[in-house]
Amino acid sequence: MTRYILRRLGVSFLVLLGGSLLLFVLTINSGDPLEDLRESNAENRDYLIQQRTAYMGLDQPWYSRYWDWLTGVSKCVALNCDLGTNRNGVDVGSMLGAAASSTLRLVVFATVIAIVVGIIVGILTAIRQYSGFDYVVTFLAFLFYSLPVFWVAVLLKEYAGIEFNNWMREPTLTPVQIILIAVILGFILQAVLGGHWKRRLLTAGIALVVIAGALAYFSSVEWFRRPMLGIGFVALVGIAAAVGSTALFSGINNRKVLYATLTTAGVGILAYLPVRPLIDEPTWLLLIGLFVLTIVVSYAIGWFMGGYSRKAAANLSLFTGVSIAFLTFIDAAVAHWGSMLALKPRPISTIGSQTPNFPGGFWETLLDLGAQILLPTIVLTLISVASYTRYTRSSMLEVLNQDYIRTARSKGLSERVVIVKHGFRNALIPITTIVAFDFAGLIGGAVITEKVFGWKGMGEMFETGLRAVDPAPVMAFFLVTGTAAIVMNLIADLAYAALDPRIRR
């Protein structure tokens, strides 16, 4: 394995080197970097031309300029990168740091959400092949996959941004709106759960009544301006996470695991009472410390209570504990939604990655950053989740038709064990490739999304450098995206070996 990794790294280095040389030559020959100054009527035009020539090294041959860039990149081995300056003399390394942090914040959220939602929906459609739910999801997947990114972004800016901000002035729902939303969600829920038509009708009816009642209550108390979850909601979802994860991955009859996860949920609910006031105005160090403590305590409960299933109990207890910690975090955040609205009456931002000079505290600032990232994240998620859903469905269907799956069913194993332990793991192997390349591709592929929403990220830096015939920002973009593609591809290869031990040979 070590020789394989070293060989792959060596080949990848040669690919990066050849790609960087080709991109550098294409960039510097794509136009005249002094065109705007040659046409200028400024009195100091000659001085500006000399200054830009010095910044960009235009008085040197192309291979000398490329060698200077390559020499600066080689210093990254000693963590002292020198990526040169752009045509205005600004250090490209500092530009890259700001752009990469902005883009990664966007890409990571979108990719994680798309992976989780896409894989779950893909598994459900594979299990319920040719059902109404499968047809609807397939139609939506093809629809989202074929939609132009800029068109989706513009629609979201109009209806999920501008119109939502207008609605937040008086966030109330009319009876017609409440019934319409409840009918749509009830229809979706019965399609997901499936079953006989009587069961579907009962599911849709119960969902319609519950959702309509909840929306009517929220509208009457202005919950959308002053939201709150509370310990009741945290306890309900925490217990559901404990029971649901146990039933899915270990079986509800495994009492050791069930008691361990329920104990973890109980400890988390009790911890909510002292922790919630503590994080009313927290620091990141405090939140990280509490998260680490959650991991240690949850894993320890599962390990010591799990008995012969201690590994499964520890992992599922960890999932339960982290779920409750996340809900507590969300509860503290949404409790400050009203104070954020007082500082920013139009909460959903449509331009930029942050609000300049925002005066809020910890939670208000965090909510503002979340509002800034919301719309571009939805755009990238919608496009990516469609492909993940189709790939997962196809992979699961192929695996479920294999002989070892039929053998597992003939041995009397439950459908849960067949799907989760025998089918899903093997279906992940081709999906791993898609995840790796999609993450690397999104870093460079968010150019259009960043342009529409005014984000100063990697895409904007690449576009500006290319338009100005400035190779330094373009090469910095290539360095990050090319390295990300190679690293993610290598991680995918290692994941193959973890998922299928036969590949290690």
Side-chain angles (χ1 to χ4, degrees), residues 56-67:
M56 300 181 64
L58 298 178
D59 54 344
Q60 304 176 26
W62 70 268
Y63 50 84
S64 179
R65 295 169 62 190
Y66 176 73
W67 178 255

Side-chain angles (χ1 to χ4, degrees), residues 290-470:
L290 290 174
F291 183 71
V292 172
L293 181 63
T294 299
I295 293 175
V296 172
V297 173
S298 301
Y299 198 87
I301 291 174
W303 183 262
F304 289 109
M305 293 186 63
Y308 61 87
S309 301
R310 61 175 51 185
K311 186 176 180 180
N315 291 330
L316 295 179
S317 295
L318 178 61
F319 170 77
T320 304
V322 170
S323 299
I324 295 178
F326 178 73
L327 288 172
T328 305
F329 177 86
I330 295 298
D331 179 55
V334 299
H336 290 78
W337 177 254
S339 58
M340 200 275 278
L341 288 179
L343 298 171
K344 187 181 178 184
R346 300 180 66 82
I348 304 299
S349 301
T350 57
I351 295 294
S353 58
Q354 62 183 7
T355 302
N357 303 319
F358 188 73
F362 178 89
W363 291 114
E364 290 81 8
T365 303
L366 189 66
L367 288 171
D368 175 60
L369 292 175
Q372 297 278 1
I373 202 175
L374 180 63
L375 296 184
T377 298
I378 292 176
V379 172
L380 295 179
T381 301
L382 286 177
I383 304 303
S384 298
V385 77
S387 59
Y388 286 131
T389 299
R390 301 306 301 160
Y391 281 120
T392 304
R393 179 183 182 275
S394 176
S395 182
M396 279 294 295
L397 287 176
E398 182 179 357
V399 169
L400 292 177
N401 289 324
Q402 297 296 319
D403 291 339
Y404 65 86
I405 296 294
R406 286 191 287 269
T407 302
R409 284 173 173 153
S410 65
K411 289 165 61 177
L413 296 179
S414 65
E415 193 66 14
R416 176 191 62 81
V417 175
V418 172
I419 297 297
V420 175
K421 293 189 175 181
H422 294 272
F424 178 56
R425 180 168 179 171
N426 290 286
L428 276 179
I429 294 176
I431 299 172
T432 303
T433 305
I434 307 302
V435 171
F437 280 102
D438 194 45
F439 179 80
L442 273 178
I443 296 177
V447 177
I448 298 176
T449 304
E450 291 180 3
K451 183 70 174 178
V452 174
F453 290 102
W455 275 58
K456 302 296 183 180
M458 296 287 293
E460 192 270 344
M461 186 181 73
F462 173 79
E463 182 195 5
T464 302
L466 197 60
R467 183 179 298 162
V469 198
D470 190 355

Side-chain angles (χ1 to χ4, degrees), residues 10-306:
V11 173
S12 300
F13 172 76
L14 294 178
V15 172
L16 269 180
L17 185 63
S20 65
L21 177 60
L22 178 62
L23 182 62
F24 186 87
V25 173
L26 291 176
T27 302
I28 63 175
N29 288 284
S30 62
D32 182 8
L34 300 176
E35 181 179 3
D36 59 322
L37 293 180
R38 298 185 199 279
E39 298 174 354
S40 174
N41 294 322
E43 296 180 357
N44 60 341
R45 186 188 67 171
D46 293 337
Y47 171 75
L48 294 175
I49 291 177
Q50 293 176 2
Q51 187 180 50
R52 184 176 295 180
T53 301
Y55 285 146
M56 300 181 64
L58 298 178
D59 54 344
Q60 304 176 26
W62 70 268
Y63 50 84
S64 179
R65 295 169 62 190
Y66 176 73
W67 178 255
D68 290 340
W69 177 83
L70 200 61
T71 304
V73 171
S74 65
K75 297 179 182 178
C76 293
V77 178
L79 302 179
N80 189 27
C81 294
D82 181 12
L83 302 181
T85 60
N86 68 353
R87 69 176 192 168
N88 296 320
V90 180
D91 180 56
V92 174
S94 60
M95 293 172 53
L96 179 63
S101 63
S102 179
T103 296
L104 286 175
R105 179 155 53 98
L106 172 62
V107 169
V108 168
F109 276 114
T111 304
V112 171
I113 295 172
I115 291 171
V116 173
V117 175
I119 289 179
I120 291 175
V121 174
I123 292 174
L124 291 175
T125 54
I127 295 173
R128 301 179 54 197
Q129 187 183 16
Y130 302 135
S131 64
F133 175 70
D134 183 28
Y135 288 129
V136 171
V137 171
T138 300
F139 169 75
L140 292 177
F142 280 118
L143 177 65
F144 290 141
Y145 190 77
S146 60
L147 287 178
V149 175
F150 66 90
W151 186 70
V152 178
V154 171
L155 287 181
L156 278 175
K157 286 182 68 172
E158 175 64 26
Y159 295 103
I162 298 173
E163 293 298 329
F164 179 82
N165 288 332
N166 294 336
W167 179 74
M168 281 303 296
R169 297 172 183 171
E170 295 183 5
T172 57
L173 296 172
T174 64
V176 175
Q177 292 173 328
I178 291 174
I179 294 175
L180 183 61
I181 295 173
V183 168
I184 294 174
L185 294 180
F187 176 79
I188 295 174
L189 185 61
Q190 64 84 24
V192 173
L193 296 180
H196 192 265
W197 69 270
K198 291 183 179 179
R199 177 182 172 183
R200 289 173 176 266
L201 191 61
L202 180 63
T203 301
I206 294 175
L208 191 150
V209 173
V210 172
I211 294 172
L215 290 177
Y217 170 77
F218 291 156
S219 180
S220 63
V221 301
E222 293 188 353
W223 187 88
F224 300 104
R225 289 193 65 89
R226 294 184 294 272
M228 182 177 296
L229 301 182
I231 188 173
F233 180 83
V234 173
L236 181 64
V237 178
I239 294 173
V243 176
S245 61
T246 302
L248 182 61
F249 293 101
S250 186
I252 201 68
N253 294 324
N254 193 333
R255 299 302 180 187
K256 292 286 187 180
V257 177
L258 180 61
Y259 294 155
T261 54
L262 287 176
T263 301
T264 303
V267 172
I269 295 167
L270 292 176
Y272 172 91
L273 297 175
V275 169
R276 178 60 183 82
L278 186 64
I279 63 173
D280 200 47
E281 276 299 331
T283 62
W284 281 113
L285 183 61
L286 174 62
L287 292 176
I288 293 173
L290 290 174
F291 183 71
V292 172
L293 181 63
T294 299
I295 293 175
V296 172
V297 173
S298 301
Y299 198 87
I301 291 174
W303 183 262
F304 289 109
M305 293 186 63

